[in-house]
C-alpha cells in the first residue's frame, strides 16, 4: 500500500476562494475528468454532460461556489492562473448561452438547471464531499467518474484512494510527531531543515525555494489587496468588508506606495499590545475577505482557514523585522510539516471533522512555525502546535447560508491570535514537563471528529447556521 507522503506544495496550494474542499477540489476534479476524456480520445465525441453533487457539496455547494468551480474546471481554466475578475462573468456566459466548451476544445449544450444536480439527501460512503461527472457520447455510451474532495484541495478518485500521492524515497519519512522528533534528535536538524531535505525527493532545492517564494508572494499580494479593498461580500448576506477600514484607521494617514513601504508604515505605529492585536486581526480579515470574494488565496491548509497562517507570518515579518527570504521559507516549511501530521493522523476537512480540522489545524501550523522562527527548540515547536489545537478541539463548522463568511472570517482572527499565544507559551515553557503530546491531540481530534454530529460538519444544518436569521449582519 502506498503511504501518504505530503510535500510543502500539497499543504500550500494556490487557488481561488472561497473553499478548498468545495471550490478548489471540485475544480481539480473537473480538470481530471476532462483529462480522462482526452486520454481515452473521446472528448470530441461528447454530446452532453451531467454533474452530480452529493452530501456536503450539495448542501453548501452554491454558497461555497462548487457550481462555479466545476464549470470553470470543465472549461479548461486553471485556478492558479485564471483571472479572478473573469470568474463570475464567464460562469454567467455559460448559463446564458447554454454552451460549455469542454477543455476549451469541444463545445456541448449545457443547461445549468438540469445538467448540474444538487443531491441534497444523498451521500456516498467514502467522504461527504463527493461528485460524479457523466459524459454522454454520440455513440450512445456514457462515461462516468466519481471523485472525492477530501479537504485542502486534495482530490481522490473512486477506487483509487490508496494512491493519493506518488510514493517517493524520503530521507526522513514522518507520519507522527514522535517520528518527527526522533529524526530531529538523531540529526540535530530543525523541523524546517528536515522538511527541505525531504523535498529533494520531489525536486531540486532551487525549484522548492522558488515555489515557496511563489506561495509567499501570493499570500503577500492577498493580504495587501484585502487591506485595500472595500465593499460588501458577495452571496447575499451583505457582510461588509472590514480590513480596509481597519487598515486606514490604524495607519493614521501615514504615506506608502507599495507592500514594502506599507510594512514600514505599520512599524512606525509602534508595538503597543492593542495595536499589534488589531493588525493581526486585520491581516486575517483581509485574506478571508478576499477568499470570500473569489479572490486568489493559498490553502493554509484550507481556504476556509487561509487567513490564519498569513496573519501570523505577516505579524512575524512586521513586528519582528523578519522580511527575509530564509525566515519566510523556514516558516512555511515548518508549518507544512505540522499540517501534514494532522492530515495523516486525522483530517483537514471540515466536512469530516468540523472547523477544528480547518481553523484548529491552521492555528497549530502557525504556532509551530512561529515558535521555530523565534528560536524555539523542536520540542517547543511541537508543544506550541499541541497547545493551539488543544484549544480548538470540538470546534464546529456551521456556516450561515453555506457561505465562507459567518463565522468563518472572524474565526481566522481567533485562530491567528491563539497561534501567537501558543507560541509564546511554548517559548516560555519546558516541553519536557508537558502533559499532553501533539500525537495525543491529533488522535483526540480524530476521535472528536468521528463523534461529532453531522449537522456540525459543513452542512449548514446546525449551530449558527440555523440560529441566525440570514438578514442579520455579521457581528
Amino acid at each position: 500500500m502506498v503511504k501518504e507522503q505530503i510535500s510543502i506544495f500539497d499543504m500550500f496550494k494556490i487557488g481561488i476562494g472561497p473553499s478548498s474542499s468545495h471550490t478548489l477540489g471540485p475544480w481539480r476534479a473537473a480538470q481530471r475528468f476532462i483529462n480522462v476524456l482526452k486520454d481515452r480520445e473521446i472528448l470530441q465525441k461528447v454530446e452532453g454532460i451531467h454533474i452530480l453533487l452529493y452530501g456536503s457539496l450539495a448542501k453548501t455547494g452554491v454558497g461555497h461556489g462548487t457550481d462555479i468551480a466545476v464549470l470553470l474546471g470543465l472549461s479548461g481554466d486553471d485556478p492558479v492562473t485564471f483571472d479572478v475578475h473573469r470568474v463570475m462573468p464567464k460562469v454567467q456566459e455559460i448559463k446564458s448561452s447554454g454552451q460549455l466548451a469542454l477543455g476549451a476544445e469541444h463545445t456541448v449544450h449545457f443547461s445549468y438547471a438540469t445538467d448540474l444536480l444538487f443531491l441534497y439527501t444523498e451521500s456516498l460512503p467514502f467522504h461527504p464531499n463527493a461528485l460524479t461527472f457523466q459524459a454522454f457520447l454520440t455513440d450512445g455510451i456514457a462515461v462516468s467518474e466519481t471523485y472525492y474532495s477530501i479537504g485542502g484541495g486534495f482530490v481522490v478518485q473512486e477506487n483509487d484512494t490508496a494512491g493519493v500521492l506518488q510514493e517517493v524515497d524520503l530521507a526522513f519519512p514522518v507520519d507522527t510527531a514522535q517520528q518527527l522528533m526522533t529524526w530531529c534528535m538523531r540529526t540535530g536538524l530543525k523541523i524546517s531543515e528536515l522538511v527541505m531535505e525531504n523535498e529533494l525527493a520531489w525536486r531540486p532545492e532551487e525549484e522548492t525555494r522558488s515555489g515557496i517564494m511563489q506561495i509567499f508572494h501570493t499570500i503577500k499580494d492577498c493580504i495587501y489587496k484585502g487591506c485595500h479593498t472595500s465593499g460588501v461580500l458577495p452571496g447575499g448576506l451583505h457582510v461588509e468588508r472590514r480590513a480596509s477600514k481597519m487598515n486606514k484607521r490604524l495607519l493614521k494617514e501615514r504615506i506608502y506606495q507599495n507592500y514594502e513601504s506599507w510594512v514600514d508604515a505599520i512599524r512606525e505605529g509602534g508595538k503597543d499590545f492593542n495595536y499589534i492585536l488589531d493588525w493581526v486581526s486585520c491581516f486575517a480579515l483581509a485574506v478571508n475577505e478576499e477568499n470570500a470574494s473569489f479572490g486568489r488565496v493559498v490553502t493554509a491548509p484550507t481556504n476556509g482557514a487561509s487567513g490564519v497562517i498569513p496573519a501570523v507570518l505577516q505579524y512575524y515579518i512586521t513586528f519582528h523585522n523578519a522580511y527575509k527570504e530564509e525566515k519566510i521559507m523556514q516558516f512555511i516549511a515548518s508549518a507544512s510539516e505540522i499540517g501534514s501530521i494532522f492530515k495523516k493522523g486525522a483530517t483537514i476537512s471540515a466536512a469530516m471533522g468540523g472547523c477544528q480540522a480547518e481553523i484548529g489545524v491552521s492555528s497549530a501550523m502557525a504556532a509551530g512555525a512561529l515558535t521555530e522562527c523565534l528560536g524555539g527548540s523542536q520540542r517547543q515547536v511541537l508543544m506550541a502546535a499541541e497547545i493551539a489545537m488543544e484549544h480548538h478541539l470540538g470546534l464546529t463548522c456551521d456556516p450561515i447560508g453555506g457561505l465562507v463568511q459567518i463565522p468563518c472570517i472572524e474565526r481566522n482572527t481567533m485562530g491567528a491570535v491563539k497561534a501567537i499565544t501558543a507560541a509564546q507559551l511554548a517559548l516560555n515553557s519546558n516541553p519536557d514537563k508537558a502533559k499532553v503530546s501533539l500525537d495525543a491531540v491529533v488522535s483526540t481530534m480524530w476521535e472528536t471528529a468521528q463523534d461529532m454530529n453531522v449537522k456540525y460538519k459543513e452542512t449548514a444544518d446546525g449551530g449558527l447556521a440555523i440560529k441566525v436569521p440570514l438578514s442579520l449582519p455579521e457581528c
Side-chain angles (χ1 to χ4, degrees):
M1 180 177 178
V2 177
K3 292 184 178 180
E4 189 171 22
Q5 298 170 322
I6 300 176
S7 165
I8 291 171
F9 305 114
D10 295 314
M11 298 308 299
F12 293 98
K13 303 182 184 77
I14 298 172
I16 292 176
S19 171
S20 50
S21 60
H22 287 58
T23 314
L24 180 58
W27 193 321
R28 291 300 189 196
Q31 290 178 304
R32 287 177 61 170
F33 183 63
I34 292 297
N35 288 334
V36 167
L37 299 178
K38 289 181 178 179
D39 291 343
R40 297 183 186 178
E41 299 181 349
I42 56 176
L43 178 64
Q44 301 299 326
K45 298 180 180 180
V46 177
E47 63 178 4
I49 193 162
H50 282 175
I51 307 155
L52 312 179
L53 303 180
Y54 299 90
S56 180
L57 289 186
K59 291 183 176 181
T60 61
V62 172
H64 286 68
T66 306
D67 53 340
I68 293 169
V70 293
L71 294 182
L72 294 176
L74 291 172
S75 297
D77 299 309
D78 192 273
V80 176
T81 58
F82 188 66
D83 182 358
V84 295
H85 299 101
R86 284 279 300 147
V87 170
M88 301 312 293
K90 180 156 186 178
V91 171
Q92 189 54 47
E93 289 171 12
I94 294 171
K95 290 181 178 180
S96 59
S97 69
Q99 302 288 316
L100 181 61
L102 300 177
E105 296 179 15
H106 177 62
T107 301
V108 299
H109 174 73
F110 181 82
S111 169
Y112 180 87
T114 59
D115 294 335
L116 178 55
L117 307 176
F118 294 82
L119 306 177
Y120 300 106
T121 61
E122 297 183 36
S123 292
L124 300 186
F126 176 68
H127 195 281
N129 295 335
L131 66 166
T132 297
F133 297 97
Q134 299 173 335
F136 303 96
L137 310 185
T138 53
D139 57 9
I141 295 176
V143 176
S144 176
E145 297 289 350
T146 296
Y147 301 88
Y148 299 93
S149 179
I150 61 175
F154 288 85
V155 176
V156 295
Q157 189 171 348
E158 191 169 55
N159 301 320
D160 189 33
T161 57
V164 177
L165 300 170
Q166 182 180 1
E167 189 170 17
V168 295
D169 186 15
L170 297 179
F172 307 107
V174 171
D175 290 317
T176 66
Q178 182 58 52
Q179 290 175 348
L180 175 60
M181 194 63 237
T182 298
W183 284 122
C184 288
M185 290 175 65
R186 288 182 182 178
T187 63
L189 294 174
K190 296 178 181 177
I191 291 173
S192 60
E193 293 171 337
L194 187 144
V195 170
M196 293 300 287
E197 288 294 322
N198 276 342
E199 293 296 316
L200 292 172
W202 282 289
R203 70 196 74 79
E205 181 179 351
E206 283 305 310
E207 188 176 330
T208 295
R209 294 171 69 91
S210 175
I212 292 175
M213 291 312 294
Q214 183 184 12
I215 292 293
F216 169 68
H217 288 305
T218 303
I219 288 173
K220 177 191 74 173
D221 293 344
C222 183
I223 293 174
Y224 190 75
K225 183 181 178 184
C227 282
H228 296 85
T229 304
S230 58
V232 175
L233 299 177
L237 293 183
H238 308 294
V239 176
E240 185 177 1
R241 297 177 70 136
R242 287 178 282 179
S244 62
K245 289 185 177 180
M246 288 185 68
N247 176 68
K248 186 175 182 179
R249 176 179 62 80
L250 292 168
L251 286 174
K252 296 181 178 179
E253 299 185 353
R254 288 190 287 274
I255 304 300
Y256 56 93
Q257 293 78 38
N258 50 33
Y259 171 83
E260 287 74 17
S261 58
W262 175 63
V263 171
D264 290 336
I266 294 172
R267 288 173 180 157
E268 291 175 14
K271 291 190 175 182
D272 176 77
F273 176 78
N274 287 338
Y275 180 74
I276 293 176
L277 187 63
D278 282 346
W279 274 116
V280 172
S281 295
C282 184
F283 300 149
L285 289 174
V287 173
N288 283 89
E289 287 171 355
E290 280 297 295
N291 180 62
S293 302
F294 293 91
R296 180 156 284 112
V297 298
V298 173
T299 63
T302 68
N303 280 28
S306 59
V308 176
I309 290 173
V312 177
L313 176 56
Q314 189 62 52
Y315 154 80
Y316 175 59
I317 288 171
T318 304
F319 296 104
H320 291 271
N321 294 310
Y323 191 25
K324 303 173 179 67
E325 185 172 303
E326 289 299 324
K327 301 304 291 186
I328 291 166
M329 287 194 289
Q330 181 183 2
F331 190 102
I332 291 176
S334 54
S336 73
E337 189 63 34
I338 300 298
S340 72
I341 290 172
F342 279 99
K343 171 71 170 60
K344 294 169 185 175
T347 181
I348 58 171
S349 168
M352 287 289 284
C355 200
Q356 62 175 354
E358 295 203 24
I359 296 296
V361 172
S362 62
S363 187
M365 292 167 67
L370 180 62
T371 300
E372 179 175 305
C373 287
L374 291 178
S377 68
Q378 297 95 326
R379 290 188 182 278
Q380 286 175 318
V381 170
L382 299 183
M383 183 181 188
E386 177 275 314
I387 293 171
M389 173 52 80
E390 182 180 335
H391 301 288
H392 281 95
L393 289 174
L395 184 61
T396 60
C397 180
D398 47 357
I400 295 175
L403 297 166
V404 190
Q405 296 181 20
I406 310 171
C408 319
I409 295 175
E410 288 181 351
R411 279 185 181 170
N412 278 261
T413 70
M414 298 295 105
V417 172
K418 283 186 179 182
I420 296 171
T421 303
Q424 290 300 124
L425 283 172
L427 288 167
N428 286 282
S429 301
N430 180 355
D432 293 334
K433 296 183 178 181
K435 303 299 183 183
V436 183
S437 70
L438 178 56
D439 284 330
V441 166
V442 173
S443 177
T444 301
M445 176 198 156
W446 181 232
E447 291 174 3
T448 304
Q450 293 174 303
D451 290 340
M452 190 179 291
N453 191 300
V454 69
K455 69 183 181 182
Y456 298 121
K457 296 181 180 181
E458 208 170 4
T459 59
D461 288 336
L464 291 175
I466 63 172
K467 292 295 185 182
V468 179
L470 297 184
S471 59
L472 286 182
E474 185 177 19
C475 59

